[in-house]
Amino acid sequence: MEKERVFVVVLGKDQKGIIAQVSGLLFKHGANIEDVQQKVMDGTFVMTMLADITESASGSAGLRRALDELAESLGLKVMLHNEAVIKAMHRI
Amino acid sequence: MEFGVEEVFETAGMILFEHFDIRAVTLGVNLKDLIDRDAGRLAQDAGERLAGLGKRLVSEAGALSESMGLPIINKRLSITPAAWLIEPCAQADAPLVLAQALDRAACEAGVDFIGGFGALVQKGTTAADRRVMESLPQVLSSTQRLCGFLNLASTLAGMNMDAIVRLGHILKDMAAAGPNGIACAKFVAFCNAPEDNPFMAGAFHGGGEADAALNVGISGPGVVRAVVDKHPDADLTELSEIIRRTVFKITRGGELVGRELARRLGVPFGVVDISLAPTTAMGDSVGRILEGMGLERVGAPGTTAALALLIDAVKKGGAMASGRVGGLSGTFIPVSEDEAMIEAVEVGALSLEKLEAMTAVCSVGLDMFAVPGDTSAATLSAIIADELSIGMANDKTTGVRVIPAPGTVAGDSVDFGGLLGRAPVMPVNRFSGAAFVARGGRMPAPVRSLRN
């Protein structure tokens, strides 16, 4: 079975516990985190997580809804992209 | 394969802050096998096929958008030109019967528009072509989601001035048939119409197409504007390079969506149309890109050159990104749908004549502009003939979507609402070309050598 991997992108003001809360949510939804990066860009905190959701019962739709709720409670923005989109746009 | 945080952020930022989206996924559907002498049967069969396919399109596009994390805004259908379909139907109101069935099918399926109610008349008109043409005022004013087109000229055939003369009158009737001339916003007059265009109002499923084809229109004026704004000191060579790189990325996103959606629907993947298409949303403007390049306002001297650079860079980036680039693949500069274009008209920076000059380097033509309600049918025909001549002589597509807004004068404004935006009424040259267009006949095809 081909792996389904997604990038979770979190943007906003840096604050305590972002990585912990997003990681916890991904764990709860059966996703396996394969990579984490973070950086402050143009004054904005940006974190990306690459997660394998092949075995997640929630799928990308369920995960997105849960992430949206979490992001709203933290005053952050979150995006979720299939790895294929990033690969298509940034690699020849 | 590893990706840097900057790369992932760039994609997320394009969608979050710069209006990047897949503007339209359009399923072209062949209906020639349903041609029948009985207009009612044709309409019923076509409606059933389109409602079924349209529902699948809407459902699969929604699921794909969700799983990819790329917004897909519009889901549309296009069909075999209606004039071919009603050819054997003796029933006088066959065009209307078909049109109403198409509109119902679009509503039932939840697609936002269905295109193809039109005819290819660049060299001559059949009886069926004439019936479809004459039905346009009633059809487009009594339906919600149906769009119409006519191809009135081509580089190979020349220009059908007889049909253009008649169209001037039809446009006047079309404008009078609904509020603000809204029916005219759903109709395009073309030269060299592409058979695989995913954008409305001019989409149709051409005679050279398979039974079905999925065509994708991407869009990212806001994305291009953002990179232009970030490089205020770049010279034009560098600016072209920056735009090319950006368009490459968004085209790749569009191609991924097209390929995957076509696979899920079990139909051939047609084309990616790389046209920059503005919307009424703040910042999602082609005019703002031109202003970001250094023009005080769109329409200022330098506008045509800036647009030429922009569209050339868009085409180079798009063609590198996908082997399926097709459709219109130019830059849309619809006056009513682009905040910078509206402002430029209102402050007197942009005239109809400059707009026409801009279309000489930009595929889509004079789009979504309003002229005074008392503009004569002959003047409308002459404006259309001018614009289609640019396409004919330069071997490219041009189109006209003009709204002679009833009861308005130059300086007024017509609000169509929603995606169609607000059109400032533009003054038209008061001198007449009526006697020229009234000569009628067919303007011969241009010579394709001796190009200087």
Side-chain angles (χ1 to χ4, degrees):
Chain A
M1 187 179 172
E2 204 172 317
K3 271 188 177 182
E4 184 180 3
R5 300 201 299 187
V6 295
F7 277 99
V8 176
V9 190
V10 178
L11 314 160
K13 193 167 173 258
D14 195 11
Q15 54 192 281
K16 283 180 192 167
I18 295 178
I19 293 182
Q21 294 200 59
V22 175
S23 310
L25 186 146
L26 289 173
F27 173 71
K28 202 172 122 194
H29 284 265
N32 181 41
I33 298 167
E34 296 189 356
D35 184 43
V36 181
Q37 297 182 61
Q38 65 175 60
K39 201 169 184 177
V40 175
M41 296 172 67
D42 299 331
T44 304
F45 169 78
V46 183
M47 182 195 72
T48 62
M49 279 186 181
L50 177 62
D52 181 349
I53 61 164
T54 316
E55 290 175 12
S56 165
S58 312
S60 56
L63 197 53
R64 179 176 284 111
R65 275 193 294 277
L67 283 164
D68 281 343
E69 281 175 25
L70 175 63
E72 199 177 333
S73 71
L74 297 174
L76 300 167
K77 286 190 185 298
V78 67
M79 297 289 281
L80 187 141
H81 300 296
N82 194 292
E83 183 191 23
V85 173
I86 305 300
K87 190 175 169 186
M89 291 179 72
H90 298 280
R91 293 289 181 274
I92 294 178
Chain B
M1 184 180 289
E2 289 194 354
F3 296 94
V5 62
E6 293 88 353
E7 293 174 308
V8 183
F9 173 61
E10 186 182 6
T11 294
M14 283 179 179
I15 296 166
L16 271 175
F17 309 120
E18 296 160 4
H19 304 284
F20 171 47
D21 53 49
I22 306 303
R23 183 58 49 81
V25 289
T26 303
L27 181 63
V29 181
N30 171 41
L31 298 178
K32 292 195 290 290
D33 58 316
L34 304 182
I35 291 173
D36 198 292
R37 288 183 188 282
D38 180 344
R41 185 177 299 161
L42 163 69
Q44 185 178 344
D45 291 349
E48 283 173 10
R49 177 176 296 176
L50 292 164
L53 288 170
K55 281 178 192 166
R56 280 192 60 213
L57 174 69
V58 171
S59 148
E60 293 289 356
L64 182 63
S65 177
E66 184 75 63
S67 72
M68 289 288 175
L70 266 181
I72 300 175
I73 307 299
N74 298 305
K75 296 95 186 173
R76 295 163 172 180
L77 293 167
S78 66
I79 61 159
T80 307
W84 297 350
L85 302 176
I86 61 135
E87 196 95 39
C89 301
Q91 191 178 324
D93 64 348
L96 185 62
V97 170
L98 176 62
Q100 287 172 339
L102 298 173
D103 199 46
R104 277 196 302 272
C107 292
E108 190 186 331
V111 297
D112 57 340
F113 281 117
I114 180 165
F117 194 86
L120 303 163
V121 299
Q122 62 269 23
K123 200 167 182 187
T125 50
T126 64
D129 294 335
R130 283 191 291 277
R131 292 169 71 194
V132 165
M133 283 177 69
E134 297 300 333
S135 76
L136 284 168
Q138 188 183 8
V139 160
L140 295 183
S141 61
S142 65
T143 52
Q144 303 300 312
R145 304 188 187 193
L146 186 61
C147 292
F149 80 98
L150 288 172
N151 192 62
L152 297 137
S154 76
T155 301
L156 287 176
M159 187 187 295
N160 185 344
M161 191 63 88
D162 290 329
I164 291 174
V165 169
R166 184 61 204 139
L167 178 59
H169 296 280
I170 291 170
L171 279 169
K172 295 287 285 183
D173 292 344
M174 227 188 279
N180 290 336
I182 187 79
C184 297
K186 297 186 283 178
F187 171 81
V188 188
F190 271 123
C191 172
N192 294 325
E195 301 195 336
D196 50 12
N197 159 27
F199 287 107
M200 295 297 171
F204 67 95
H205 188 67
E209 296 286 320
D211 278 327
L214 192 275
N215 300 313
V216 174
I218 56 166
S219 190
V223 179
V224 176
R225 185 203 170 187
V227 294
V228 169
D229 285 352
K230 278 180 198 156
H231 297 85
D233 300 320
D235 73 15
L236 297 182
T237 315
E238 289 171 59
L239 196 58
S240 171
E241 174 65 23
I242 290 160
I243 295 169
R244 273 195 291 151
R245 279 196 217 144
T246 302
V247 172
F248 175 88
K249 290 172 191 168
I250 61 179
T251 305
R252 294 273 289 193
E255 202 206 48
L256 173 69
V257 164
R259 194 169 357 108
E260 181 58 20
L261 185 55
R263 188 188 66 76
R264 292 184 184 196
L265 290 168
V267 303
F269 177 23
V271 301
V272 182
D273 189 321
I274 56 173
S275 298
L276 287 178
T279 67
T280 48
M282 193 71 79
D284 200 19
S285 154
V286 170
R288 293 281 185 246
I289 302 174
L290 302 176
E291 291 173 359
M293 286 183 182
L295 301 170
E296 186 182 359
R297 287 283 184 185
V298 181
T303 298
T304 311
L307 192 58
L309 182 146
L310 172 63
I311 189 57
D312 177 71
V314 166
K315 285 176 182 168
K316 285 172 177 164
M320 176 69 185
S322 171
R324 293 179 180 275
V325 172
L328 290 164
S329 287
T331 300
F332 291 166
I333 42 176
V335 175
S336 74
E337 299 170 15
D338 185 309
E339 52 168 339
M341 299 292 283
I342 295 170
E343 282 178 16
V345 171
E346 287 179 338
V347 301
L350 180 62
S351 66
L352 192 50
E353 288 72 20
K354 186 62 177 177
L355 189 62
E356 184 183 307
M358 291 164 72
T359 69
V361 294
C362 170
S363 82
V364 191
L366 298 171
D367 196 17
M368 282 302 289
F369 68 106
V371 294
D374 65 356
T375 306
S376 70
T379 295
L380 292 173
S381 296
I383 291 170
I384 291 168
D386 277 346
E387 181 59 26
L388 302 194
S389 296
I390 290 173
M392 184 177 74
N394 294 296
D395 205 359
K396 69 194 284 300
T397 304
T398 50
V400 178
R401 190 158 48 145
V402 56
I403 299 108
T408 63
V409 297
D412 287 351
S413 187
V414 190
D415 198 341
F416 301 110
L419 281 177
L420 298 173
R422 177 174 69 83
V425 179
M426 300 177 79
V428 174
N429 191 311
R430 66 190 172 86
F431 296 95
S432 173
F436 170 69
V437 295
R439 288 172 182 268
R442 180 162 61 91
M443 190 183 290
V447 64
R448 300 183 74 188
S449 57
L450 308 174
R451 297 286 293 171
N452 297 325

